[in-house]
Amino acid sequence: RDTSDAPLWYFVACDELVRAEEREEFLDTACGGRTIRQILFSIAHAYRIGTPNGIRMDPESGLIFSPAHFTWMDTDSPAGTPREGYPIEIQALWFAALSFLARIDPSGDNGDWEREALRVQSSILEHFVLKEESYLADCLHAGPGASARQATPDDALRPNQLFAVTLGAVSDRRVCCKVLSACEELLVPGAIRSLADRHVRRPLFIDYHGKTLNDPHYPYQGKYAGDEDTNRKPAYHNGTAWTWLFPSYCEAWAKTYGKKSRKTALAWLASSAGLLTRGCIGHVPEILDGDFPHKQRGCDAQAWGASEIVRVWKLFDVPK
């Protein structure tokens, strides 16, 4: 339950269901004495005023502070990806949640959702766009109580920034193109690496029992193998390639470059087909080594890897 992304993904799921059914009946479903709609309002209000476990909205920027190990990049002991502060995908998901609330509460009785969504968009462009690299910082690092303005942006090239494009939090085409160009460096057939194979200015220390396990200025680890705590966990989100995030690159490509680019996006996505003929035949693995030959690792048949391929494939209106 201690996550900052799971409740926000629920907004995305509700949004997609309402769009698919073309009606809002599901939102009025009773659940524990409240409707789903009321629960969504309650979640959003809790994010704004602060939750008991430390999630809170920065009143100045409208961005969401996330405690360490509250995102999908959660690897504890050792702390492979602490990400305490303002992770980029949390801001993208928060924008998507606010935009959805603006549609299902057009009167604004429960909040000025549209205005808050626009403020989040503006704050992302102000605080996350790196001047030298032009792509988006993965996280604005800060402790509890620190504002986004006081936070330190990292220069770690990670794929989480793709959600800012796919969820509409960044609509500036120039920035979207920069994000895609940067993330191209992360691609492997059918997956996308969790960290680029390059030096970083802001060091990432992975400590275990008082010993630093990595080169903090070169934290990339391209092979997911060996002892769990000292080898696999440090590599898990620092170079290991993931299947579930890869389709979002294809989706972001099509969203940025328009309908004429769908064949190209589909060609990117089709590289996933090779994964189905190796390992657990007919299924998509959880992860691959970031380094060639990109050996399949982790769970042999991963549901979210498979479902994301299908979801994005269907977005392209592929004929049967």
Side-chain angles (χ1 to χ4, degrees):
R1 65 186 274 156
D2 285 339
T3 70
S4 54
D5 51 9
L8 298 178
W9 277 117
Y10 186 64
F11 281 87
V12 175
C14 289
D15 185 2
E16 292 186 351
L17 179 59
V18 167
R19 289 179 186 272
E21 293 187 334
E22 296 183 345
R23 59 182 185 272
E24 297 183 5
E25 289 181 16
F26 169 74
L27 301 180
D28 297 317
T29 302
C31 181
R34 295 182 294 175
T35 66
I36 297 296
R37 192 188 306 265
Q38 289 171 329
I39 291 171
L40 293 174
F41 291 146
S42 177
I43 294 172
H45 284 306
Y47 269 63
R48 291 197 298 185
I49 64 175
T51 65
N53 59 4
I55 302 168
R56 64 164 183 82
M57 187 184 78
D58 172 21
E60 179 185 349
S61 65
L63 300 177
I64 298 297
F65 173 85
S66 175
H69 307 298
F70 267 45
T71 73
W72 81 274
M73 282 193 157
D74 180 0
T75 44
D76 206 352
S77 183
T81 44
R83 304 182 82 217
E84 182 180 51
Y86 299 86
I88 182 59
E89 79 276 16
I90 300 302
Q91 316 317 317
L93 286 163
W94 179 232
F95 168 81
L98 292 170
S99 299
F100 178 55
L101 291 173
R103 294 206 312 276
I104 66 172
D105 183 30
S107 64
D109 290 340
N110 294 275
D112 193 349
W113 310 114
E114 185 174 4
R115 183 184 64 83
E116 291 192 33
L118 291 173
R119 183 160 66 119
V120 170
Q121 272 192 315
S122 176
S123 294
I124 289 175
L125 291 178
E126 179 182 357
H127 296 292
F128 281 90
V129 178
L130 298 172
K131 292 181 179 178
E132 290 187 26
E133 294 84 0
S134 296
Y135 58 79
L136 302 181
D138 183 65
C139 183
L140 310 180
H141 295 267
S147 68
R149 192 173 299 280
Q150 295 170 315
T152 304
D154 63 27
D155 59 315
L157 174 53
R158 298 188 186 273
N160 298 302
Q161 60 187 303
L162 291 168
F163 292 123
V165 179
T166 59
L167 295 173
V170 173
S171 55
D172 184 317
R173 191 172 185 271
R174 180 177 53 84
V175 176
C176 292
C177 290
K178 291 287 186 180
V179 167
L180 285 167
S181 178
C183 287
E184 192 171 332
E185 183 179 327
L186 302 172
L187 296 177
V188 306
I192 190 164
R193 292 185 292 179
S194 47
L195 180 66
D197 184 3
R198 56 161 71 176
H199 286 88
V200 295
R201 291 192 301 275
R202 187 185 189 281
L204 170 61
F205 290 88
I206 301 178
D207 295 323
Y208 186 63
H209 294 322
K211 180 182 178 182
T212 300
L213 299 177
N214 69 331
D215 178 349
H217 286 281
Y218 204 105
Y220 173 83
Q221 296 192 49
K223 184 172 289 187
Y224 182 81
D227 174 71
E228 181 177 10
D229 281 338
T230 59
N231 294 102
R232 282 183 288 150
K233 279 186 177 180
Y236 204 36
H237 297 118
N238 294 312
T240 297
W242 290 73
T243 57
W244 85 274
L245 246 169
F246 169 67
S248 290
Y249 180 88
C250 310
E251 181 183 3
W253 183 280
K255 188 162 187 173
T256 299
Y257 294 112
K259 289 185 178 181
K260 291 183 178 180
S261 72
R262 286 190 173 186
K263 288 186 178 180
T264 303
L266 184 58
W268 289 113
L269 187 62
S271 68
S272 299
L275 301 176
L276 303 176
T277 61
R278 305 192 306 273
C280 188
I281 303 298
H283 292 275
V284 178
E286 176 190 14
I287 53 177
L288 290 74
D289 281 342
D291 288 348
F292 184 82
H294 311 302
K295 183 176 179 179
Q296 295 187 15
R297 305 280 190 179
C299 174
D300 295 311
Q302 188 80 344
W304 58 343
S307 61
E308 277 297 279
I309 292 173
V310 173
R311 181 185 67 82
V312 174
W313 185 279
K314 289 171 72 73
L315 286 178
F316 298 150
D317 294 323
V318 179
K320 295 181 180 180

